[in-house]
Amino acid sequence: MDRAAMFFDPLLYGFVFLGLFTPGPNVIMLTSSGARFGFARSLPHLFGVVLGVGITAAVTSLGVGAIVTASPWVNLALKTGAGAFILWMAWGLWKASAKPRAAADPDARPLSFWAAVLFQWINPKVWAVAFAASAGYGAAQAMWFEALRLGVAFSSVNLMVLLFWTAAGSLLTALLEHPLAWKIFLRVMAVLLALSTLLVFR
C-alpha cells in the first residue's frame, strides 16, 4: 500500500467518525452554542475544537497517548480537570437566560477559540479515541508521517461532525421561540453535559 492510500485509509476515517460523532462534551457544547449564540458566533469555538483535537491526535502517535494511558496520576489529573470544566459549562447552561438567543443575555459569550483548543488537552474522550486509532490503525511509518496522518484525519472528520451539530443547534432556535421551551432545552442540555462527566470517569 502506498503512502497516499495509508494517509486516507477509509477504516481509520470510519473509526474516527464513529468516535467523534457520538455525543460527548464537544458535541453537546457546540449544539448548545449553536442554539444560544447562532452558527456564526460559534465558529471560533468550533475551529478551536477542530485544531485541538488534531493536535491531541498527532501527539498521541508520538507516544504521549501511551504515557497518559499508562500513568494513573496523569489519567486522574486529566479526568478531574475535564470533569470540573464540563460541570462549570453545564452550570452556565443551567443558569442561562430563558429567552432565546444571546441577545437576551448580553454578558453571555461562546467559548473562545483558545479555550476550546486547550480543553482538548484534558478531554479524556479525545485521548481515548486518538490512542485507539493510533494503536489499531497505525501504518507503521515514520513518526512524523503517523502524527500528520492522525492529526489530519481527526481534524478533517471533526470539522464535518461539528459543522453538522452546530448547524443543528442553530436551526433548533426556530422551534424554541417560547421561553418555556427554550428553558427546557437549556436545562436538558445542561443535564446531558453534566452526565457526560460519567463517561469521563468510566
Side-chain angles (χ1 to χ4, degrees), residues 13-36:
Y13 277 72
F15 175 81
V16 173
F17 173 79
L18 291 174
L20 298 180
F21 188 81
T22 51
N26 286 327
V27 164
I28 296 170
M29 284 193 287
L30 274 162
T31 304
S32 303
S33 184
R36 289 183 71 195

Side-chain angles (χ1 to χ4, degrees), residues 36-37 41 92 95-109:
R36 289 183 71 195
F37 305 109
R41 289 188 66 195
K95 294 192 306 176
S97 170
K99 297 179 182 179
R101 289 294 194 201
D105 188 357
D107 294 326
R109 296 285 185 276

Side-chain angles (χ1 to χ4, degrees), residues 12 38 45 55 68 97 107 109 111 133 140 147 149 155 162 177 182 184-185 194 196 201:
L12 169 64
H45 179 178
I55 293 172
V68 170
S97 170
D107 294 326
R109 296 285 185 276
L111 195 66
R149 176 175 174 264
S155 283
L162 297 180
E177 293 185 353
W182 182 252
I184 290 171
F185 169 76
S196 72
F201 287 97

Side-chain angles (χ1 to χ4, degrees), residues 8 19 28 38 46 70 102-103 121 123 150 165 177 187:
F8 298 106
I28 296 170
L46 186 155
W121 285 82
N123 186 343
L150 221 60
W165 284 111
E177 293 185 353
R187 293 286 172 89

Side-chain angles (χ1 to χ4, degrees), residues 42 106 119 166:
S42 299
F119 172 59
T166 307

Side-chain angles (χ1 to χ4, degrees), residues 125-202:
K125 181 183 178 182
V126 173
W127 281 106
V129 176
F131 183 72
S134 178
Y137 298 91
Q141 296 292 309
M143 274 191 168
W144 68 267
F145 180 83
E146 292 287 357
L148 183 62
R149 176 175 174 264
L150 221 60
V152 169
F154 271 72
S155 283
S156 58
V157 170
N158 210 30
L159 175 61
M160 298 299 105
V161 166
L162 297 180
L163 284 172
F164 170 83
W165 284 111
T166 307
S170 182
L171 292 172
L172 275 174
T173 306
L175 304 174
L176 300 169
E177 293 185 353
H178 193 282
L180 179 60
W182 182 252
K183 186 172 185 178
I184 290 171
F185 169 76
L186 291 179
R187 293 286 172 89
V188 168
M189 296 303 284
V191 170
L192 289 175
L193 188 57
L195 287 175
S196 72
T197 57
L198 298 177
L199 299 175
V200 168
F201 287 97
R202 67 179 179 180

